[in-house]
Amino acid sequence: TTTVTLFDDPNDVFTVELNSVLYSVSESDQSLEVCVVSSGFLERDITIFMSTIDQTATSLTEPYDYSPSLMNKPLVFTPGQQSSGSSSICSLFFVVNDTILENNELFYVKLTSNDSAVDLVTDSAPVFIVEDSDVVEVALTNLQYEATEGMNQYVEVCAVSNLLERDVVVTMTTMSGTAIDGEDFTGVDTHLTFVGNTG
């Protein structure tokens, strides 16, 4: 009886990459699918780990922008998954469609592996959350104002619709009617800044 031992070729690699080098999702879409794509045939399981890294978009501190927060989530490729030498595993991320007026925000998806047979072609990619539906309503506090000659009249303007995570600038001007600018009142042409205070 002769025993033949076959050794695995150390040059054999299992190629893994994200299905995009950059992801973009609108806040109003509320979800994004990120897939890990593999190529190469398997005779054993291969484990890839996926993590998220907060930047301006946060999943660990309020106000939350997306979920879930991942820390080394295992993605296991098995021989049975492959029909033509390639396969993919996808993770679904949920985007919080809030009413906070924000800038576009960013987090990263990152892949790692402890397996020497794995070639991570694309191991990280940015995910941009596009703020496409948030608005802020600005209104005068009264529909009309009365003033006595010789007395200063103050007009209040307030942001009334939602929270702000970035500054909003509003231009306020006065126009002559029966009262003439420069004769009956001192006109105003100024910018009012509402300062973001939630992040």
Side-chain angles (χ1 to χ4, degrees):
T1 301
T2 301
T3 301
V4 178
T5 303
L6 299 178
F7 294 95
D8 187 33
D9 187 344
N11 295 317
D12 289 342
V13 294
F14 184 68
T15 300
V16 176
E17 59 186 325
L18 291 164
N19 65 330
S20 178
V21 296
L22 181 151
Y23 299 91
S24 179
V25 57
S26 297
E27 191 176 80
S28 58
D29 289 340
Q30 300 186 46
S31 65
L32 171 70
E33 189 174 64
V34 174
C35 296
V36 181
V37 181
S38 70
S39 61
F41 289 96
L42 289 177
E43 290 188 354
R44 63 177 176 86
D45 291 355
I46 292 285
T47 301
I48 308 298
F49 299 98
M50 177 181 286
S51 300
T52 55
I53 304 172
D54 285 0
Q55 298 292 309
T56 52
T58 60
S59 61
L60 298 174
T61 57
E62 296 183 0
Y64 304 115
D65 298 303
Y66 74 95
S67 66
S69 172
L70 301 181
M71 178 57 69
N72 292 330
K73 174 187 177 181
L75 308 176
V76 182
F77 290 90
T78 64
Q81 288 176 314
Q82 297 180 303
S83 58
S84 60
S86 64
S87 61
S88 63
I89 301 176
C90 299
S91 292
L92 190 64
F93 292 92
F94 296 96
V95 177
V96 179
N97 189 16
D98 55 32
T99 59
I100 300 173
L101 188 66
E102 304 163 299
N103 293 309
N104 294 340
E105 296 179 306
L106 167 70
F107 69 96
Y108 280 88
V109 175
K110 184 171 179 60
L111 303 179
T112 57
S113 177
N114 299 322
D115 197 316
S116 60
V118 173
D119 178 19
L120 290 174
V121 177
T122 306
D123 64 353
S124 67
V127 180
F128 290 94
I129 301 175
V130 180
E131 310 298 329
D132 63 338
S133 60
D134 296 335
V135 296
V136 60
E137 297 177 357
V138 179
L140 296 170
T141 53
N142 295 314
L143 295 178
Q144 74 176 43
Y145 298 85
E146 295 182 358
T148 303
E149 284 190 358
M151 301 292 291
N152 291 329
Q153 174 67 48
Y154 295 95
V155 177
E156 294 180 326
V157 180
C158 60
V160 295
S161 65
N162 56 10
L163 297 175
L164 302 178
E165 203 169 78
R166 64 174 176 85
D167 294 355
V168 173
V169 179
V170 176
T171 301
M172 185 174 72
T173 60
T174 53
M175 297 183 295
S176 297
T178 55
I180 306 301
D181 185 0
E183 296 181 8
D184 302 304
F185 68 95
T186 302
V188 172
D189 186 355
T190 188
H191 298 292
L192 307 174
T193 301
F194 297 94
V195 179
N197 57 9
T198 65

